[in-house]
Amino acid sequence: MGGGSIRALLAFSRGVDWLNEHIGRLMYWGVLIMVLVSAANATSRYALNMASNAWLELQWYLFAVVFLLCSGYTLLHNEHIRIDVVSSHLSRRAQIWIDIFGLVFFLLPMSLFILWLSWPIFMNAWTSGEISGSAGGLIRWPARLLVPAGFFLLSLQGISELIKRFAYLKGLIPDPVEHHEDPALEQLRVEEPGK
């Protein structure tokens, strides 16, 4: 693979990292809004003896927004749950190869499969104008869209992580897992091959 191809792949990776970083930071506000809506629902239900299906469903939608749209951000920062009992005793290169194996044979097939399965469900909700079965409930297509959108972002980040792992093995970038602060900015320090 030529130097131009590697630079293009790393540029793509930086773009994906930037996208998931900014969506993840935006979701900080989603968590706050979710907490406020949950507190308001609990207060209105138990203190005022008033309940609203729309507000309860909004609470569920916000949870889905945060959970699904932050999956790529979580992978970017290497914060997914891992079982490192065996791999923690291996060399860094062996750990990177284990990551590559997991990305290629587990994460990407699973996330792309769920993306493929969830898209028709969203399209059906969109075209039919599906509404909640609860009285006063919300429309359903925004919630249905969150599944393919979340798994699309996760798939993109999986591809980005794969690119970074191979670039690390070739000695083109520093360890992509070592620094958690901002991996996209770390890649800006990559020197062009031959310099």
Side-chain angles (χ1 to χ4, degrees):
M1 188 178 290
S5 299
I6 292 171
R7 282 193 299 275
L9 288 172
L10 285 171
F12 170 79
S13 177
R14 281 191 302 274
V16 170
D17 291 355
W18 181 91
L19 175 67
N20 274 316
E21 181 70 30
H22 283 78
I23 288 173
R25 289 180 186 216
L26 182 64
M27 288 303 103
Y28 292 172
W29 292 103
V31 171
L32 176 63
I33 294 167
M34 181 179 62
V35 168
L36 293 174
V37 168
S38 298
N41 280 338
T43 301
S44 68
R45 175 172 289 156
Y46 296 111
L48 305 174
N49 202 22
M50 295 171 34
S52 165
N53 286 331
W55 283 97
L56 186 59
E57 288 182 10
L58 178 62
Q59 178 181 324
W60 297 339
Y61 285 16
L62 288 168
F63 177 78
V65 165
V66 171
F67 180 79
L68 289 166
L69 298 187
C70 278
S71 59
Y73 174 81
T74 306
L75 182 60
L76 169 65
H77 288 279
N78 198 35
E79 295 295 332
H80 281 278
I81 296 172
R82 302 172 65 114
I83 309 293
D84 291 336
V85 174
V86 174
S87 68
S88 64
H89 299 293
L90 300 174
S91 70
R92 189 66 195 125
R93 290 184 73 79
Q95 290 174 1
I96 292 291
W97 279 109
I98 290 170
D99 285 352
I100 290 170
F101 180 83
L103 288 165
V104 170
F105 292 104
F106 295 104
L107 184 126
L108 286 172
M110 178 273 312
S111 61
L112 291 170
F113 184 63
I114 293 173
L115 172 61
W116 178 70
L117 287 177
S118 63
W119 185 255
I121 295 170
F122 157 69
M123 288 304 297
N124 184 43
W126 170 266
T127 56
S128 69
E130 182 182 355
I131 297 176
S132 169
S134 302
L138 301 175
I139 56 173
R140 288 273 171 95
W141 70 261
R144 303 273 192 225
L145 178 60
L146 290 172
V147 177
F151 280 95
F152 176 72
L153 291 171
L154 181 60
S155 298
L156 283 179
Q157 194 60 48
I159 293 166
S160 174
E161 295 304 313
L162 201 56
I163 292 166
K164 290 185 286 189
R165 298 305 191 274
F166 279 116
Y168 169 74
L169 290 174
K170 288 180 143 296
L172 300 174
I173 64 170
D175 188 344
V177 179
E178 192 173 292
H179 301 290
H180 294 281
E181 293 305 315
D182 196 351
L185 291 177
E186 186 68 33
Q187 283 188 7
L188 293 176
R189 299 181 189 156
V190 174
E191 293 182 11
E192 292 184 13
K195 286 193 175 181

